[in-house]
């Protein structure tokens, strides 16, 4: 991992005093950025050995499902810019200004640069991915939150709360009964954040899976 | 809970020597039985306080979704009878004979009696419920196993293995990447069964949820 230094930081984007941001629904051309965010999420959780997807399978899963009956997946992105975003009649977009106490340096800005809007520099700061599903526990469907990630340099600015709240608002307005997800038990700051958002952490549920060769072994199973 | 005694057992069904069984896909008229099985599952896991669904919401979720874009849910039932099931060209049905070492008494048989087929007594012994979904971890979709339950008097006869294998076979044949589910960490016999089936138990993933008033609080959230 690159150390933060004046030399490398000179290649990144520096935000002074003010930062403009918005949340919007991801589209297919965002997939390369989504996959890079996903890789950082798996690195953060130290579970890169579990990452068996690739950019192509994510594109297919999100936008061109081979299995059309699967619940559609929604990805919300947080974008940041030094300039205000143009106002937009699209309800799925919400905007916010953030005052910075000190300059914010995004070392990896070029990897997360969005195709320019109106000649403005726009970068992806984080994302949340979720889909609706049936639940035997509740009267109405629930959201399963598949991924939630804010890039490191954009943390502790309220973006996580904004992004999570946007998804939770959507669930509540649709009359859904719950949002469920997994988190690592060593991730104290993550768990504290979720508890602060009102989440309940199950005391005794464990997450199990049957995958790889253990699952393939059932292919010719004649019972 | 009723104690097993000769008096109460006289109200139940007794299987001697041999039991015929089959696995089939549930249909809408099975919902009352499915909901009773679900109630027993929640009692077994001591989580009845989490059961907020009802027979009507289960019927709607499984067969008449208010939200048509949700992944379809499959429920497989195990049926048992003292008589052989008629052979059926339906691929979704598989049959098996079970030799009994000692008589098997089903105290609750009347609660789980299926409308008679050809004048034979048929009862529901257990079920598995699952649906396909996107996964950021894998190249292909996965099954989420929502419920898995064998009624107490039918345990330790190989029904659980048969039912689980039937679902796992389906996942493997569809080229799916994984099956995932939750289990209680105190449920040693359940975890041992799943491990025996090849499952991996996550060391550090916790299950979180945001539901009830904590979720409703986001309804009017203006961020």
């Amino acid at each position: 991992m690159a150390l933060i230094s004046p030399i490398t930081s000179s290649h990144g984007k520096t935000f002074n005093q003010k930062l403009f941001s918005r949340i919007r629904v991801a589209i297919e051309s965002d997939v390369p950025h989504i996959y890079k965010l996903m890789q950082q999420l798996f690195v953060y959780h130290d579970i890169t050995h579990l990452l068996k997807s690739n950019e192509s399978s994510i594109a297919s899963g999100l936008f061109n499902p081979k299995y059309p009956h699967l619940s559609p997946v929604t990805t919300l992105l947080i974008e940041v810019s030094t300039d205000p975003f143009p106002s937009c009649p699209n309800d799925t977009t919400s905007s916010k200004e953030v005052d910075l106490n000190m300059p914010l340096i995004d070392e990896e800005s070029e990897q997360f640069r969005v195709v320019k809007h109106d000649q403005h520099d726009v970068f992806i700061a984080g994302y949340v991915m979720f889909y609706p599903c049936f639940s035997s526990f509740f009267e109405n469907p629930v959201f399963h939150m598949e991924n939630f990630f804010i890039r490191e340099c954009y943390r502790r600015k309220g973006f996580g709360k904004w992004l999570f709240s946007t998804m939770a608002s959507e669930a509540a307005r649709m009359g859904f009964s719950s949002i469920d997800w997994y988190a690592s038990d060593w991730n104290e700051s993550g768990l504290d954040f979720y508890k602060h958002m009102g989440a309940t952490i199950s005391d005794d549920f464990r997450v199990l899976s049957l995958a790889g060769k253990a699952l393939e072994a059932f292919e010719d199973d004649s019972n």
Side-chain angles (χ1 to χ4, degrees), chain A:
Chain A
M1 298 243 200
L3 294 173
I4 295 174
S5 72
I7 294 162
T8 58
S9 71
S10 68
H11 299 293
K13 177 73 180 176
T14 300
F15 295 90
N16 294 301
Q17 295 178 334
K18 202 179 273 291
L19 181 153
F20 294 89
S21 60
R22 71 170 183 181
I23 292 176
R24 67 167 171 87
V25 174
I27 57 175
E28 192 164 356
S29 60
D30 293 312
V31 167
H33 288 139
I34 294 171
Y35 193 64
K36 269 182 274 186
L37 291 164
M38 200 175 278
Q39 287 173 307
Q40 293 199 346
L41 168 67
F42 277 68
V43 167
Y44 178 78
H45 286 94
D46 195 21
I47 50 170
T48 49
H49 61 288
L50 298 179
L51 184 63
K52 312 283 186 192
S53 60
N54 52 60
E55 201 175 300
S56 156
S57 72
I58 296 301
S60 160
L62 299 186
F63 297 104
N64 296 296
K66 279 190 278 185
Y67 305 89
H69 298 302
L70 263 61
S71 294
V73 182
T74 298
T75 307
L76 299 178
L77 299 174
I78 290 207
E79 288 179 330
V80 294
S81 177
T82 46
D83 303 289
F85 287 92
S87 64
C88 174
N90 184 348
D91 276 343
T92 60
T93 300
S94 66
S95 303
K96 190 172 267 191
E97 286 180 35
V98 177
D99 290 314
L100 301 170
N101 295 326
M102 53 187 294
L104 185 162
I105 301 164
D106 182 352
E107 300 276 339
E108 303 173 313
S109 56
E110 290 314 303
Q111 288 184 55
F112 291 97
R113 178 187 286 279
V114 180
V115 176
K116 286 186 176 186
H117 300 271
D118 304 328
Q119 306 306 309
H120 292 160
D121 285 337
V122 174
F123 309 97
I124 307 280
Y127 77 122
V128 63
M129 186 183 281
F130 55 96
Y131 56 81
C133 46
F134 168 82
S135 168
S136 58
F137 289 65
F138 295 103
E139 198 168 346
N140 290 315
V142 301
F143 277 157
H144 175 73
M145 182 167 76
E146 178 72 12
N147 289 168
F148 180 72
F149 187 70
I150 303 291
R151 290 177 50 221
E152 188 165 359
C153 63
Y154 296 105
R155 291 181 201 153
R156 291 167 292 280
K157 309 264 176 295
F159 288 130
K161 184 169 184 246
W162 185 28
L163 192 58
F164 188 93
S165 301
T166 301
M167 169 186 62
S169 258
E170 178 75 2
R173 286 173 197 159
M174 290 174 77
F176 278 25
S177 295
S178 177
I179 301 173
D180 68 51
W181 66 99
Y182 313 148
S184 298
D185 60 4
W186 53 259
N187 183 10
E188 285 180 29
S189 66
L191 295 177
D192 284 347
F193 168 78
Y194 291 135
K195 276 188 266 189
H196 185 66
M197 301 310 286
T200 303
I201 305 176
S202 164
D203 285 333
D204 63 1
F205 280 163
R206 303 285 298 274
V207 178
L208 286 87
S209 67
L210 180 75
K213 290 196 189 309
L215 176 58
E216 287 163 22
F218 287 92
E219 186 164 355
D220 299 317
D221 193 275
S222 56
N223 307 310

